[in-house]
Amino acid sequence: MTKQQITACIDGSAISNAVCDTAAWASRTLDAPLTFLRVLEKSYSPAKEDLSGAIGLGSREHLLDELTVLDEQRNKLAVKHGKHLLDDAQQRAEAAGAVMVTGEQRHGELLDSLLAWEDKTRLYVVGRLGDDHEQQQQTVGSQVENMVRAIHTPILMATGKFSAPSNYMLAYDGSETADKAIDDIANSPLLANLPGHVVMVANDSSENQGRLEHACELLTNKGHQVQPHLLQGDVIDRLMDFQSSFNIELKVMGAYGHSRIREFIVGSHTTKILATSTIPVLILR
């Protein structure tokens, strides 16, 4: 099956509009169909457990019947609410120029649904935080972290109000994952018309200079306009400083290496960058 569509996850949280706008931009740029996905995960009511264990058998059976009815009503309302969310998302994305926009609602676990759709999805779009977090928090939702670790399809993470980026910064560390990210970017039209900066935070050595120049050469050979930057210091601080100094509007990075040691080091950086980012982040595996 050819990966064609963009899949955007919405949950009704405050960041859902940003997810819609980010996904619409990607759909318009790639001329790719866009599908909004709403997953209804099973929730458990603590009140049901507490009440059933605190009263007599006859009353408990009656109360359990009432709770069952309430659960059915709550599920129906959740499904109805989800349909409204999908309709609103589709209308917003179509108005922003997205193509072939559809919506689908599923029951189950979000990660399972995304893994099931990976064969037909070329790009996932998600919000940094779900509906159980305050958007001002400098953290990343557990769902997002699990997605980044489990999914091998590129993920575009929305962080707040979206506007189409006019440039991008690619965080490069010379690793195999970073080289794959370079190759993915070079062969994708998503960033082809944007000026880019390839930023490496490492010792100022001839070896690192060579790696950086080679990475930029791969991109320029495919028609990209990029500039190399070799910086020294703390990775997170230097990337944040660079973003601010060059008014960067989109970050691109590889994520979570494969060895346990590398996962500890690079994975920590990945999570920090995602949690503190105020601009969209394109995550590549």
Side-chain angles (χ1 to χ4, degrees), residues 40 74-84 105 107:
L40 291 171
R74 184 165 50 197
N75 289 334
K76 288 180 180 177
L77 287 174
V79 170
K80 188 175 181 179
H81 177 58
K83 288 180 179 177
H84 284 301
Q105 189 159 224
H107 291 269

Side-chain angles (χ1 to χ4, degrees), residues 170 172-174 198-202 208 211-212 229-232:
L170 195 158
Y172 179 76
D173 66 0
V198 181
V199 182
M200 186 175 191
V201 182
N208 287 331
R211 287 177 176 173
L212 184 58
H229 305 269
L230 181 57
L231 310 177
Q232 287 75 52

